[in-house]
Amino acid sequence: MEEFVNIPLIFAENTVLETNRLRLRPLKITDAKDMYEYASDEETTRYVFQTHRSLEDSKFAIANYFMADPLGKYAIEEKKSGKMIGTIDLRVEANYGRGELGYTLNKAYWGQGLMPEAAFALLVLGFDKMKLVAISAYHNLENAKSGRVMEKIGMKKVTEIKSSRLWKGELIDEALYLITAADWQKRVM
């Protein structure tokens, strides 16, 4: 018989996760200025969400998405500066034992290995504590950098899906990446 894993409780007990350079923590309304810094940049938001046009847009996103239902959603804070530089979340389908990663990072911090560092912390949480069987992530095929993050954390491209999602009024092609619990065990041993 399967062991019951209380996913909400595990998230509630792990609202703050630490890595070498980062602190993953709940978002606060006071993060709006830091969020707006990157969320108002069209290059940063091109593939992930509608570009914020005002500080109020960032406050709205924080209050209505991150704070209204906070479990599994994290601010990425650089320890050195205390600055919130992005967000990452792990959305879990407990009945199926699987999760899906999503993330955004301020472009001033791209290319430093910070997103793989944050994502790896959520893989540890998902596989080691939640006993998930698989964690996936999607990216727009035009956003190869996101696919590179997925590869760095041990995910493998499963498929490319043509015209799979309507995004900003256009059909886009996506890539699906996945890491299974078995692959995870091989990677961390």
Side-chain angles (χ1 to χ4, degrees):
M1 181 168 213
E2 295 176 27
E3 177 185 342
F4 174 75
V5 178
N6 188 331
I7 302 295
L9 178 60
I10 293 170
F11 274 134
E13 292 175 341
N14 292 276
T15 57
V16 177
L17 304 171
E18 302 259 345
T19 71
N20 287 339
R21 299 177 290 171
L22 304 171
R23 179 175 295 106
L24 306 184
R25 57 156 177 84
L27 273 89
K28 307 174 287 198
I29 204 69
T30 54
D31 291 320
K33 185 178 175 197
D34 286 343
M35 178 179 277
Y36 183 67
E37 182 180 310
Y38 66 82
S40 62
D41 177 72
E42 291 188 14
E43 185 180 1
T44 300
T45 63
R46 181 175 178 191
Y47 304 110
V48 287
F49 55 82
Q50 295 294 334
T51 304
H52 293 188
R53 300 290 175 210
S54 68
L55 185 61
E56 290 305 310
D57 287 349
S58 295
K59 287 180 180 178
F60 182 89
I62 290 170
N64 290 282
Y65 180 74
F66 293 99
M67 294 179 78
D69 185 18
L71 296 181
K73 300 171 185 169
Y74 298 87
I76 302 171
E77 179 183 293
E78 184 186 43
K79 283 182 181 178
K80 179 174 62 175
S81 66
K83 182 176 183 65
M84 196 277 280
I85 60 172
T87 60
I88 189 165
D89 62 340
L90 178 61
R91 299 172 298 274
V92 174
E93 294 178 290
N95 291 345
Y96 301 109
R98 65 183 179 204
E100 182 181 336
L101 284 177
Y103 45 80
T104 306
L105 187 67
N106 184 322
K107 75 177 180 186
Y109 296 86
W110 290 359
Q112 300 174 36
L114 294 169
M115 191 52 73
E117 187 174 322
F120 193 82
L122 289 187
L123 293 185
V124 170
L125 182 66
F127 287 123
D128 295 351
K129 294 190 178 182
M130 296 178 177
K131 307 302 181 199
L132 297 179
V133 297
I135 297 175
S136 64
Y138 291 86
H139 76 82
N140 182 317
L141 282 182
E142 293 179 8
N143 187 8
K145 289 178 183 177
S146 189
R148 187 69 193 117
V149 168
M150 296 169 196
E151 291 167 356
K152 286 180 180 179
I153 61 172
M155 291 182 150
K156 295 181 181 116
K157 186 192 288 186
V158 176
T159 192
E160 292 182 2
I161 312 161
K162 302 294 181 194
S163 302
S164 62
R165 186 163 58 104
L166 192 60
W167 179 242
K168 297 183 180 182
E170 294 183 24
L171 279 174
I172 63 161
D173 303 333
E174 292 182 298
L176 168 63
Y177 281 72
L178 183 79
I179 182 170
T180 65
D183 291 336
W184 173 254
Q185 288 303 316
K186 289 180 212 167
R187 180 177 171 81
V188 297
M189 293 181 140

